[in-house]
Structure formats: C-alpha cells, structure tokens
Amino acid sequence: MTVPLDPDITPPGTGRFRDAGGLPADRWRAIRGEETLVPTHCCFCGVQCGMYLRVHDGKVFGVEPRDHDINRMRLCPKGLNAYQQVNHPDRLTAPLFRKSRADDLRPVSWEQALDVTAEQIQRIQAEHGRDAFGMLGGASLFTEKTYLVGKFARVALRTRHVDYNGRLCMVSAAGANKLSFGIDRAANPFADCLLTDCLLIAGSNVGECFPVMTQYLWGARDRGAKLIVVDPRETSIARTADIHVALRPGTDAAFFNAVLHVIVSEGLTDEAFLAEHTTGWDEVRAAAAEHPPERAAEICGVPEQQITQVARMFATAPKAMAWHARGIEHHTQGVENCLTVINLCVATGNLGKPGAGYGTITGQGNGQGGREHGQKSDMLPGGRSISDPVHRMQVANIWGVDVEDLPQAGTSMMEMVHQMSRGEIRGLFGLCNNPFVSLPNYAVVKAGYDALEFHAQCDFFLSETAANAHLVLPVTSWAEDDGVMANAEARVVRHRKAQEPLPGVRTDTWVLCELARRLGVGDKFDFAGSEQVFEELRIASRGTVNDYYGITYARLDETGGIAWPCPDLDHPGTPRLFEGGRTYHADGKVHLQAVRWHPPADPYDDTYPMTLTTGRTVAHFLSGNQTRRLGGLVEQTPRPWVEVHPSHGFSNGDAVTVVTRRGSATFPALVTEAIRPDTVFVPYHWPYPVAANELTIDALDPRSKIPEYKVCACRIEAATAVTAVPAPPMPPGRESYADAQRARVEQLPPTSSQGRGTSQP
C-alpha cells in the first residue's frame, strides 16, 4: 500500500520513510513550486559529490544529484539525507554557558559568550603562560576556516598548542607522501582508475565509506582491470575481487614487503625507472629480502601462494594503481604501512602515468584541504613547516607579525589530551570535532577534558563533547556559508551558501574574528566573509608546494574544480602528479624508505587472544553527531554491533561483550564468515556506553601520532542483554527530534555486514 505524502502522519525516521519519499526533518513538504537549485557539494566524505540543494522561500528543503564529473548524478545514503541537517529541530540556535560542570548549560547572549571566552583565555594565559590555552580544529571545516584556525592560534592566542581531528584520519598517509615524494596528496585522479589494468585497494571499505567512488572501480572492472583487495573483512568490494587478502590486522608492512620480495626475486622490477628516478632502493630491497613469503604468511595468517599471486598480478600488469585508506593507516606503524605501498608502486614503475600511480582516499570532506594551510600542530599555510626559519619569516611577513612572536610546533590531538590531565593545557577552544566519540580510550579522554578550567566548543548540534563544555557556540552548517574544500584527488571544489544562517547562529569565521578583536588583534582578522579569507590564503600559499594562488572563486565556478598546485591564473591545475617521474623533492627523485614490520602495541595473551578492529558503516559518518539525528540513516543503521565468525558459536542477535584492557561494551552479534575467526569488528559512530572507542588503545604512530584504532587485543564473552544506545545530547529543557530516534531502540544487528538496507532498492 502506498503511504500518502502527508507530513502530519508520515514523519521521517519511521518504517514508512522510503515509501513516503523521505520528508525533511521539520515536516515541510518535499514538493515545492518556484524553487531554486543551488549547486554545491556534499558535506561528508572526501569524494565530494556534486549536488543541488533545493531552496524555497529562503530555506533548504531537499536535494537533487548533480551531473558533476566527480559523481555523475550519484549520491550515497548520507548525501541524500545531508540536507536535513540544515533546518533540523535539534539545531543549536543560542550560545549556552555554565560556570561549573555541576551546573546546567543555559542560554546567554552572543556578547556575553564572546566576552567570557576572551576573559578566560586572558586569565589562563596570564596565570599559566600562553601555551596553557589550546585549540582544536576539524577537517570538515571549509579550507578558509582551517586557515583561520591556524592563524588564530598563532596570532591571537600565540599558543603552540593547536591541532585538528585530521590527526585521526590522514596523517599517516601525509607523512609517507612527504617522505617519499616531497608533497602530500594523491598522485592520480579518480578517473585514472578507468585506464588501469590492475587496481590494488588496501584497507578501504570503499562500498560503505566512499560509495560513489565505487563507480570508478566498477568502470575499471568493466574495462577488464584486475582487482586486488587487502582487508581483514570480506567487504562488498572484496567479495568481487580477483584476489582478496584477508590478512591479520596489524600485519600490512609484513605483507607488502613480502609482495615486493617476490617481485624482486622474479625480476619484475622496473630497474630503469628505479635507477633514474629514485634514491634508497638498495635499502628497500634489503628490507624486503627479510620478509620472504613463508615468513609473511605466518605473520599475516594468509596462504603463502596468495602473496606470490598478488605480486605477479600487480607487477605484470601494463598499468597498475594502488589506493589505500584508514585500514592500513590507523596503526603505530601507519606511516610505514603507507611507505610499503609506495615502494610497491615505484619498484614496478607505476607512477606519474595515466592509469598508473598511487592514491590515498581521504576520509573527511576536507581531509585533504584541512591539512594544507596551518591548523596542524607543525604546519603553517601552504604546507610550510613551522620549524623552518625561512617558512616562519615568510608567513610572519604575510600576517604582519614579528617572527619571534610565532610559536614553535605543538603536540598532536591525543597528546594534548594527556597534557590536559597533567595541567599543562588548562583551557581549550574546539571547532568541528567530537573527541568524546572519535578519540581512543574514552576514559582517558573524558578525564583530560574534565580537568580543563575552561572549555568552549563550536558546533551546530550539541555533540557529546560540547555537552561537557563550559560554553557552546552555535555555528553554521555547511549550507549556510560559502567556502572551498579539496577532495581526495586534491581537487578544490566550491561550496555555495544556500540559505542564511538560522536566527541566533553565526559563522565560524565571524566567531574567530570577533574573538580576535576582543584579544587585541582585530586588525589581523578583518574579514567580511569566506572569499576575503580565501584571497589571503591564495597569497599565503603562493610559491609553496601547496600553491592555491591560481585558484579563485570565479575560476571554480567556471571549471567545477581545480587540482592544486595551481601557481597562476592561467594554469589549468595539476590533476596528475609526477609525470616524467619527477617528484617535489629538490633532486626531483622518489626518496624510497626501507620498512621492517613490527607487532602492534597491544600484546596478545591468554586473556586477550583476539583482535578488535573498528571502522565505518555506510549510513553514518565519523562520530555520528550529524548522522545519528537523521531519521532515514538512524532507521538504516540504528545501533552498533559486533561482527563475529560462526566458529565462536553465537547466533545473530546474541548479546556479546567485547573486553579489552581499557574497558568493555556489549553489542548484538552479527555472525558472518566475512570476518576472520581471530578478529571481531565494531563500527565506531556511537558514544559511551556503546562506544567502540571505549575499547581502543591510545598508542600512537611515532611519526604521524595517529592512534592505533585498527588493532587491539580483546576477548569476547556471552552476555544476557545488549547495551542501549543513548539519545543524542540536547540542551536542558529540549528533547531530540523524536521521529528521527524511534529506530534507535532496535536491539538486533543489521541484516548483513554492509549495513542495514543497503541492498534494498
């Protein structure tokens, strides 16, 4: 029976959502006359799909896919529902403040909120030094705002303690890229997948985490390309692969070294390319020799012959490409894992050519742009090093400050949490992050934040982290402001403002500029909006590796996106790097790095004999602060679960407790042969007490400082009942939008490991 399109009886988030056409969250009809289509891009992952936001009477009320050459009219479940955030009933519309966490948050004026923030910054820095106040940004912010975060920290706060949540995402890939190539971005555009003969996908559940990128994989397959997938789980992409390597989590470096060992042994390297375009090959070859297939097979828990099959398939292909994501990056050996994939591509001459190269799949919407222009603890705009005297002088001159006043490099996001606990950081200003869900070892994170004397958080929904703050500032969603992001290809794309901010809401740019004025440096933050910030960013990046100077809003409107570096207004951009084998190191060569495998940080023993690994699911995004409020997505995937192999004797829906050295949580079991018997998987989008990150270890890669989310020792136990999923936080006196939360009480796991309903039409 067809359900009538009546907003009074058919709210989103019920079993009738799909049949009813998916009404917006505030009960407007989804069919409107005299509407405007605003071209923009999705706010979620690094694919950055083009879309139109439907606007009527000044309000966003729907979405249409856009025939942009990134996505060609395709949108994933998150993209289809993203517009519902903009006018959602749960939106924050007034600053909230309390003097003590023992008090309730209460609404205050913007004037009072900003005055309190400035007073607390000045008090803490006067009593404990400038570095006692820290700042944390986010990689879902527009690039202009990430630039402002870095500038505000160094010029207004003059603190070295600034970092961002991309520290939990792309920094291992970034570290490997810089070491090998002297530049941090993917080497090839997505479209090169259609030209390759062999695709290797390592540690990326593309079908769920980057669904629209799947079109490029299927296009390659349609043209005859072979597909190799390296992943402990049999994901939807792995299920279709020519070779699926279901290796033990934490053994990637051993596996890829062994693959290179076979390639060297069988004479399949491109010696001419290596001689002309690389340094360090002798050391890399020696390290690979220490990882013969028989040794790696034992370490990785895979058949020895499979290693040889992968080596031959990749190395004998006329053109081959490798792409990887968090599955090999979220490790204490994350940078080195990425280096082993780079070594594989370079050793076979697969670099800088159409259909031949190397790519990193960015997790957050601006995971690429968010790490380019200064909000990272060791970075200044244009990818400059804050420790380089020349770079410091360049930026000081652009900003009009004394170079001696620029702080030195700070620490990483997780290290800052430990500094909070020790009293080294006593105040914090956060934007666009939710560490209470996204950082590992929740108990440690909570203790660190609780130790802060003052914590202000900017967001458009009340996240779990914001709910713990002293001050919460309501800021715009992505559709209420202009800006740019750089997608996983390093293509800079234009996001357009579709409606005015809700009453009581301000842009992040306005907030930072107003605070700068109160801190006495307003002349350095005299920006009317995003485009003015972007014009300064263009100048600040000019002549650097991350050169945006040739990119303007007008050019982005004309072209649909430009890949940096783009040094002047006549330059077309650089969609493919390393053509002719030349890198961005001074000598133009690839600096190969030798890697030797070492075990993960969390040791196995009789008490903790198994591996817990974590990741995303198709309906939700990162900490879930946005997606856990959208009814269609909550209905699709209402709760976390634990994937277990049938050999453990559980049935679907059984309550299973996962125990690690940090804590325990109980989930419904999803029994599947798609996971290794020695491994369990839990998605991480939910908060305590059903948080995967209550269980994970806060061990860090020594170079990138990324946490080891993808492997920790655990055991599983039968339980009597699953833990209930908490409702999203709301200010006192308000309740979360009930129609979007009805499915949250679901006690069962999804029907398959690919997320509830993803195979449904």
Side-chain angles (χ1 to χ4, degrees):
M1 179 177 110
T2 302
V3 179
L5 195 64
D6 184 340
D8 292 327
I9 64 171
T10 316
T14 70
R16 298 170 289 184
F17 181 82
R18 283 183 293 270
D19 295 334
L23 295 180
D26 73 345
R27 297 171 177 269
W28 296 330
R29 292 183 180 275
I31 300 174
R32 291 280 179 138
E34 301 177 0
E35 68 182 65
T36 301
L37 296 179
V38 178
T40 190
H41 291 262
C42 183
C43 60
F44 288 118
C45 83
V47 177
Q48 283 296 284
C49 295
M51 60 168 55
Y52 291 105
L53 289 176
R54 302 172 66 187
V55 181
H56 176 75
D57 197 23
K59 289 188 175 183
V60 172
F61 75 96
V63 67
E64 292 288 346
R66 181 176 161 206
D67 194 18
H68 193 281
D69 65 357
I70 292 175
N71 57 306
R72 298 294 186 194
M73 300 293 290
R74 297 170 176 86
L75 293 174
C76 80
K78 290 186 289 291
L80 287 168
N81 286 273
Y83 76 95
Q84 295 190 20
Q85 302 170 81
V86 184
N87 295 290
H88 197 287
D90 288 7
R91 283 287 302 272
L92 296 171
T93 56
L96 305 170
F97 175 65
R98 58 184 166 201
K99 290 184 178 180
S100 165
R101 290 194 181 88
D103 303 325
D104 287 337
L105 289 165
R106 58 180 179 83
V108 295
S109 69
W110 270 102
E111 194 75 13
Q112 180 180 350
L114 294 173
D115 286 346
V116 165
T117 304
E119 290 166 4
Q120 289 295 321
I121 291 170
Q122 291 167 332
R123 178 190 66 79
I124 288 171
Q125 291 190 322
E127 293 177 3
H128 304 287
R130 289 196 172 274
D131 292 339
F133 206 95
M135 191 169 190
L136 285 173
S140 291
L141 291 168
F142 293 151
T143 303
E144 296 89 341
K145 297 177 182 182
T146 71
Y147 172 83
L148 277 186
V149 168
K151 182 178 180 180
F152 184 88
R154 276 63 178 254
V155 175
L157 297 178
R158 289 175 57 189
T159 180
R160 72 186 188 96
H161 286 134
V162 58
D163 207 40
Y164 76 126
N165 65 6
R167 182 68 68 176
L168 317 178
C169 182
M170 292 300 300
V171 288
S172 288
N177 287 338
K178 284 193 169 184
L179 285 168
S180 296
F181 304 125
I183 190 172
D184 169 26
R185 53 155 282 196
N188 296 66
F190 292 151
D192 270 10
C193 295
L194 305 178
L195 306 176
T196 195
D197 300 296
C198 181
L199 269 171
L200 189 154
I201 307 293
S204 180
N205 182 5
V206 177
E208 291 204 70
C209 301
F210 315 99
V212 177
M213 186 183 172
T214 307
Q215 67 179 307
Y216 295 99
L217 276 60
W218 291 165
R221 298 289 271 159
D222 289 344
R223 290 163 174 78
K226 300 294 186 182
L227 177 62
I228 303 165
V229 174
V230 182
D231 197 304
R233 302 166 68 214
E234 188 186 67
T235 63
S236 57
I237 297 298
R239 201 169 298 143
T240 71
D242 294 282
I243 304 175
H244 170 216
V245 183
L247 81 179
R248 183 177 291 117
T251 62
D252 306 273
F255 173 77
F256 286 112
N257 266 334
V259 171
L260 185 57
H261 177 104
V262 174
I263 289 172
V264 171
S265 299
E266 299 193 359
L268 300 176
T269 55
D270 187 333
E271 292 297 326
F273 185 89
L274 288 165
E276 184 177 356
H277 297 295
T278 72
T279 65
W281 171 237
D282 288 343
E283 292 80 3
V284 168
R285 182 170 50 197
E290 298 173 16
H291 297 77
E294 59 271 20
R295 179 186 175 216
E298 183 176 351
I299 292 171
C300 301
V302 299
E304 181 180 335
Q305 63 270 26
Q306 195 174 54
I307 297 171
T308 300
Q309 290 168 353
V310 169
R312 291 171 179 168
M313 183 174 288
F314 190 85
T316 60
K319 299 184 295 295
M321 293 185 72
W323 292 83
H324 63 72
R326 308 304 82 70
I328 74 167
E329 298 162 18
H330 277 159
H331 296 272
T332 51
Q333 199 168 12
V335 173
E336 293 184 323
N337 289 342
C338 301
L339 289 169
T340 61
V341 179
I342 291 173
N343 292 345
L344 186 63
C345 292
V346 175
T348 53
N350 284 296
L351 193 70
K353 296 177 285 189
Y358 164 81
T360 57
I361 310 174
T362 311
Q364 296 192 63
N366 203 23
Q368 178 64 59
R371 68 185 194 261
E372 296 169 356
H373 295 292
Q375 66 173 340
K376 190 165 171 276
S377 65
D378 59 353
M379 183 183 287
L380 291 171
R384 294 179 177 92
S385 169
I386 200 168
S387 301
D388 186 309
V390 174
H391 291 179
R392 291 171 61 83
M393 182 61 72
Q394 290 170 343
V395 173
N397 289 338
I398 293 166
W399 286 347
V401 299
D402 292 335
V403 69
E404 293 81 8
D405 289 339
L406 286 179
Q408 293 294 330
T411 52
S412 71
M413 190 174 184
M414 191 68 215
E415 290 172 313
M416 286 175 67
V417 169
H418 291 289
Q419 290 174 288
M420 295 173 201
S421 292
R422 296 194 297 266
E424 296 168 19
I425 296 175
R426 294 172 179 259
L428 184 75
F429 193 91
L431 307 88
C432 190
N433 53 61
N434 189 13
F436 274 34
V437 180
S438 61
L439 279 177
N441 200 348
Y442 167 75
V444 168
V445 177
K446 179 71 161 58
Y449 272 78
D450 283 349
L452 291 170
E453 295 177 15
F454 178 75
H455 171 209
Q457 193 76 17
C458 296
D459 217 321
F460 53 88
F461 290 131
L462 189 68
S463 70
E464 286 74 15
T465 306
N468 196 67
H470 297 94
L471 178 71
V472 183
L473 300 177
V475 291
T476 46
S477 70
W478 103 107
E480 297 165 296
D481 201 4
D482 292 300
V484 305
M485 291 189 178
N487 80 340
E489 309 165 288
R491 186 193 315 213
V492 181
V493 297
R494 173 100 148 81
H495 286 249
R496 292 170 181 83
K497 182 178 179 179
Q499 73 169 51
E500 291 299 319
L502 296 180
V505 171
R506 304 289 187 269
T507 68
D508 304 89
T509 299
W510 182 89
V511 170
L512 293 178
C513 291
E514 283 295 308
L515 281 174
R517 183 171 61 82
R518 284 167 168 79
L519 295 173
V521 290
D523 60 315
K524 304 294 190 297
F525 293 83
D526 187 18
F527 301 109
S530 295
E531 189 166 9
Q532 289 73 29
V533 179
F534 189 74
E535 288 303 305
E536 183 173 296
L537 183 156
R538 290 177 59 228
I539 295 168
S541 72
R542 190 176 191 180
T544 68
V545 172
N546 299 15
D547 198 332
Y548 274 49
Y549 184 72
I551 302 174
T552 65
Y553 276 27
R555 290 195 71 196
L556 293 176
D557 289 342
E558 293 167 4
T559 61
I562 299 172
W564 65 265
C566 181
D568 59 66
L569 294 173
D570 296 322
H571 195 283
T574 313
R576 185 183 301 110
L577 299 178
F578 316 135
E579 291 184 323
R582 184 166 185 82
T583 72
Y584 287 77
H585 285 302
D587 60 5
K589 296 188 175 184
V590 181
H591 293 187
L592 294 171
Q593 310 288 320
V595 172
R596 289 167 175 82
W597 173 79
H598 64 71
D602 210 12
Y604 301 101
D605 57 24
D606 291 342
T607 305
Y608 303 102
M610 297 181 65
T611 298
L612 166 66
T613 192
T614 66
R616 283 160 55 178
T617 185
V618 69
H620 291 290
F621 189 67
L622 302 182
S623 76
N625 188 41
Q626 297 155 270
T627 54
R628 285 186 279 112
R629 299 177 189 268
L630 305 184
L633 300 180
V634 176
E635 180 188 335
Q636 183 172 337
T637 308
R639 63 162 304 120
W641 64 92
V642 55
E643 289 181 20
V644 296
H645 192 269
S647 60
H648 295 286
F650 294 107
S651 299
N652 275 341
D654 285 354
V656 175
T657 299
V658 182
V659 186
T660 72
R661 293 181 173 90
R662 272 72 51 196
S664 62
T666 303
F667 310 96
L670 173 58
V671 180
T672 173
E673 293 182 347
I675 195 163
R676 293 175 54 96
D678 58 5
T679 301
V680 295
F681 168 85
V682 177
Y684 60 64
H685 309 288
W686 289 266
Y688 177 86
V690 291
N693 282 328
E694 182 189 0
L695 311 175
T696 48
I697 186 171
D698 52 342
L700 306 179
D701 181 296
R703 297 196 224 193
S704 69
K705 307 299 183 182
I706 204 168
E708 190 154 62
Y709 291 107
K710 289 296 184 281
V711 51
C712 63
C714 76
R715 69 176 183 270
I716 55 176
E717 302 172 347
T720 56
V722 300
T723 304
V725 177
M730 292 292 292
R734 291 176 57 185
E735 294 185 2
S736 56
Y737 184 49
D739 290 334
Q741 295 299 318
R742 291 179 182 173
R744 183 172 46 82
V745 299
E746 175 66 68
Q747 298 294 299
L748 296 176
T751 53
S752 78
S753 60
Q754 298 310 303
R756 180 181 301 275
T758 56
S759 63
Q760 297 179 14

